[in-house]
Amino acid sequence: MNKREGEGWSRKTLDAAQERDVSANPSSPVIVAFKVFQQELDTKHDKYERLVKISRDVTIESKRTIFLLHRVANVPDAEDVLNEAEGKLDGVRQKIGQIAEELRGEDIYQFHKAFTPGIQEYVEAVSFLHYIRHRSLISLEEVNARLVFMRTDKAEPKGSAEAAPSGAHVLTFQVTPSDYLLGVADLTGELMRMCISSVGNGDIDTPFQLSQFLRQIYDGFSFIGNTGPYEVSKKLHTLRQSLGKVEDACYTLRVRGSEIPKHMLADLFCSRTAHIDPEEGVA
Amino acid sequence: MSVTEMFSYIQGFLSADQDVREDIRKVVQNLEQTAREILTVLQSVHQPSGFKEIPSRCAKARELFCTVRTQLADLKTKFPVEQYYRFHEHWRFVLQRLAFLAAFVVYLESEALVTREEVAQILGIEVVREKGFHLDVEDYLAGVLIMASELSRLAVNSVTAGDYGRPLRISNFINELDSGFRLLNLKNDPLRKRYDGLKYDVKKIEEVVYDLSIRGLAKEPESGGDK
């Protein structure tokens, strides 16, 4: 029973050791019971791993969508980019559909840790797109309303008992309020970047709109305070920094904007942010 | 929906969530109190005079498990049953302790490993998730591991009390348990960490058995409690 050696053993010897243990007393009730536990735990861990994998895919695709959306200001036809982003998000939703499928009949919260990063990233992407289109905050209901999936039961004989004989059933995925909140907190970072780059493009209306919107979100988070999950208070700090940057940008625009001809404004601001950025990167 | 409306909606959800947690915490505190009482009752088996009292102590402990059952029934009413894992961490610790206590009682009575079904029955809860408030398999296993370290202590104390047969029986039992746990593919989680401690309990008991055998004390007829 030397465990320290056991850790260095190859998989094969370990299996052999397991067999020896079992063959020592294969019919003992303890061994029989533990075989059941083995199966149960393995099933659970496998499901967890599958969910982690899907969640990572969701994260990656959502991040790409966000990068794509940052290009909106640089291209002549914004609508094309927005439609492309919408298409990407449809792909992400398909993946979330897979999560919903894995979670059928399970307790969502049992596996919540496996997929929460992906869902937060998705909320960030979808709310960013929504803001660019409508200049408003997407609501939790609107997020959840898009996460309804139709599935046909042919592939899954298991589900056919509960579903209607027609073969189609509805799967839903509910984003939890906490995930929504954390996704929105991440959104503010993207909005800050959007603000700075829009000034770079000579757009002087967007920063003011953004600062107003960010202030509303900041007020909202202050209203929630520490009733929220632990992560919220951490993100509140970053949110404050983002808001500070955006407000500074608006301030500069207001003060210097009246002194300098409009066509030179972009140059002025670009050089200013270039000076600021390296320091902020360190801080 | 404006930003402010959205945030006050979320705030409402969060404070409702906190209220539920507050309720759960109160019940769990009571449960912990009862669990401590049961442990105190059972601790007396480590006393030299305790071996004769084992049946009466177990009976007393089983009485206290009635209180546990009503308290767990109370806990069940505090949250929607399908959200078990949302609040799981609030009672995970105490449920593991209770699983340990139930396992210990059953071991003292019959010297056999309690099944998950028996624990669930003693605590008045379900085995499978679909049926309601249940005993998670990992919590059950954690409880069994706590019992293993309690048994290694019992082996030492039973020698002190002059019961030389018991350590041998405990040794067989723990070895079987160890083989059982080795069938599991544990992840790097709290259960795995606790399982890593099992080898020290095994070692400790083997040392006791060794001490007894080289002194020829291990041959004692298995009468049990022959002080």
Side-chain angles (χ1 to χ4, degrees):
Chain A
M1 270 210 207
N2 196 334
K3 278 291 160 48
R4 203 185 288 166
E5 257 176 49
E7 251 125 54
W9 282 356
S10 71
R11 183 88 219 160
K12 216 171 169 185
T13 12
L14 260 179
D15 284 344
Q18 278 190 353
E19 267 163 38
R20 191 202 59 215
D21 273 337
V22 177
S23 62
N25 206 345
S27 60
S28 104
V30 175
I31 299 299
V32 172
F34 273 81
K35 279 200 167 156
V36 178
F37 300 149
Q38 178 196 45
Q39 222 173 19
E40 195 177 333
L41 286 173
D42 284 351
T43 318
K44 201 171 96 179
H45 292 160
D46 289 349
K47 190 182 268 289
Y48 190 90
E49 291 306 322
R50 283 198 301 276
L51 284 169
V52 169
K53 233 173 132 181
I54 303 172
S55 163
R56 291 189 74 92
D57 290 346
V58 169
T59 310
I60 292 166
E61 265 317 289
S62 302
K63 271 200 163 60
R64 283 184 188 153
T65 312
I66 291 168
F67 278 115
L68 177 70
L69 285 171
H70 273 300
R71 274 174 239 142
V72 159
N74 300 332
V75 291
D77 195 0
E79 199 51 40
D80 275 354
V81 174
L82 292 183
N83 287 335
E84 195 189 334
E86 192 60 58
K88 269 180 182 290
L89 285 180
D90 276 333
V92 175
R93 278 190 275 272
Q94 287 312 306
K95 293 248 189 291
I96 297 179
Q98 290 174 24
I99 295 184
E101 202 136 346
E102 288 281 358
L103 291 175
R104 268 177 80 191
E106 300 284 350
D107 186 334
I108 303 175
Y109 287 94
Q110 187 175 12
F111 300 99
H112 188 235
K113 251 194 244 150
F115 58 82
T116 173
I119 296 303
Q120 285 176 30
E121 207 67 33
Y122 168 73
V123 171
E124 183 180 344
V126 87
S127 57
F128 193 32
L129 177 61
H130 184 92
Y131 179 77
I132 293 172
R133 276 231 167 103
H134 309 285
R135 304 276 146 172
S136 66
L137 181 65
I138 196 169
S139 73
L140 179 57
E141 283 84 4
E142 285 172 273
V143 177
N144 279 334
R146 316 270 324 244
L147 297 176
V148 176
F149 310 94
M150 291 300 287
R151 284 283 189 279
T152 46
D153 266 327
K154 271 177 198 160
E156 285 172 276
K158 209 176 93 187
S160 53
E162 55 195 83
S166 62
H169 67 270
V170 179
L171 264 182
T172 56
F173 183 88
Q174 296 280 314
V175 175
T176 65
S178 309
D179 282 346
Y180 169 78
L181 203 59
L182 295 169
V184 170
D186 291 337
L187 166 72
T188 57
E190 301 308 324
L191 293 179
M192 182 270 290
R193 287 174 59 188
M194 185 183 164
C195 168
I196 302 299
S197 67
S198 67
V199 181
N201 289 321
D203 177 357
I204 44 171
D205 291 330
T206 307
F208 290 102
Q209 284 172 7
L210 276 168
S211 80
Q212 207 189 348
F213 185 63
L214 277 179
R215 236 173 266 143
Q216 283 176 355
I217 291 185
Y218 180 72
D219 291 348
F221 272 100
S222 313
F223 176 61
I224 283 173
N226 58 3
T227 38
Y230 164 70
E231 297 98 309
V232 169
S233 44
K234 272 198 302 186
K235 298 215 167 167
L236 196 57
H237 181 68
T238 328
L239 173 52
R240 213 191 150 78
Q241 284 181 328
S242 301
L243 183 62
K245 282 181 206 173
V246 172
E247 283 178 342
D248 277 353
C250 289
Y251 168 82
T252 314
L253 281 176
R254 185 69 77 204
V255 172
R256 313 291 295 273
S258 54
E259 296 168 3
I260 289 172
K262 259 211 165 108
H263 65 276
M264 287 178 65
L265 200 65
D267 296 339
L268 170 85
F269 201 88
C270 286
S271 63
R272 189 186 139 87
T273 42
H275 278 304
I276 296 171
D277 268 341
E279 294 164 36
E280 280 170 341
V282 175
Chain B
M1 202 181 228
S2 81
V3 176
T4 325
E5 280 166 0
M6 196 58 228
F7 272 91
S8 63
Y9 167 74
I10 302 265
Q11 212 278 333
F13 168 85
L14 290 174
S15 52
D17 184 81
Q18 263 192 340
D19 290 345
V20 174
R21 285 175 197 275
E22 205 59 52
D23 283 349
I24 291 175
R25 233 169 271 150
K26 274 183 208 144
V27 185
V28 166
Q29 257 171 16
N30 294 336
L31 267 174
E32 279 169 350
Q33 177 62 35
T34 320
R36 279 196 297 271
E37 279 167 30
I38 299 176
L39 185 62
T40 319
V41 167
L42 292 177
Q43 282 299 306
S44 68
V45 299
H46 292 291
Q47 300 290 346
S49 58
F51 292 104
K52 283 176 286 184
E53 291 174 15
I54 284 179
S56 71
R57 290 285 151 181
C58 288
K60 184 101 189 294
R62 285 213 181 243
E63 259 171 55
L64 283 166
F65 272 115
C66 291
T67 322
V68 171
R69 277 195 286 275
T70 52
Q71 281 167 344
L72 278 171
D74 190 23
L75 180 60
K76 281 179 219 171
T77 62
K78 299 299 179 200
F79 64 97
V81 70
E82 70 278 3
Q83 300 185 357
Y84 180 92
Y85 284 100
R86 182 156 156 211
F87 307 108
H88 189 195
E89 76 267 31
H90 288 295
W91 57 75
R92 169 168 254 169
F93 176 78
V94 75
L95 207 56
Q96 288 176 0
R97 301 294 291 181
L98 289 169
F100 148 61
L101 293 166
F104 197 37
V105 168
V106 169
Y107 179 80
L108 290 173
E109 284 170 352
S110 59
E111 306 216 341
L113 177 66
V114 70
T115 62
R116 193 170 155 205
E117 289 74 17
E118 272 176 279
V119 178
Q121 195 204 331
I122 291 172
L123 302 179
I125 56 181
E126 302 293 337
V127 178
V128 286
R129 191 180 65 81
E130 284 77 11
K131 283 191 183 161
F133 193 97
H134 69 290
L135 178 67
D136 189 272
V137 67
E138 293 189 33
D139 291 341
Y140 162 76
L141 292 172
V144 169
L145 285 172
I146 303 175
M147 179 182 66
S149 61
E150 192 68 17
L151 286 181
S152 77
R153 196 179 146 219
L154 184 66
V156 171
N157 288 330
S158 58
V159 173
T160 319
D163 182 352
Y164 302 137
R166 189 175 286 274
L168 293 179
R169 298 198 302 276
I170 291 178
S171 172
N172 286 335
F173 179 75
I174 294 276
N175 277 328
E176 202 173 7
L177 211 57
D178 190 52
S179 328
F181 270 99
R182 279 208 253 164
L183 288 176
L184 306 180
N185 308 308
L186 295 176
K187 283 210 307 179
N188 208 358
D189 59 3
L191 184 62
R192 162 73 192 268
K193 225 175 262 168
R194 190 161 261 154
Y195 163 69
D196 286 342
L198 181 63
K199 57 176 174 272
Y200 300 110
D201 300 325
V202 172
K203 182 166 174 266
K204 181 95 193 163
I205 296 170
E206 279 175 356
E207 277 168 5
V208 172
V209 171
Y210 168 78
D211 280 340
L212 290 176
S213 357
I214 59 162
R215 290 170 180 82
L217 293 168
K219 294 279 157 59
E220 197 86 359
E222 290 197 1
S223 49
D226 55 340
K227 190 199 165 222

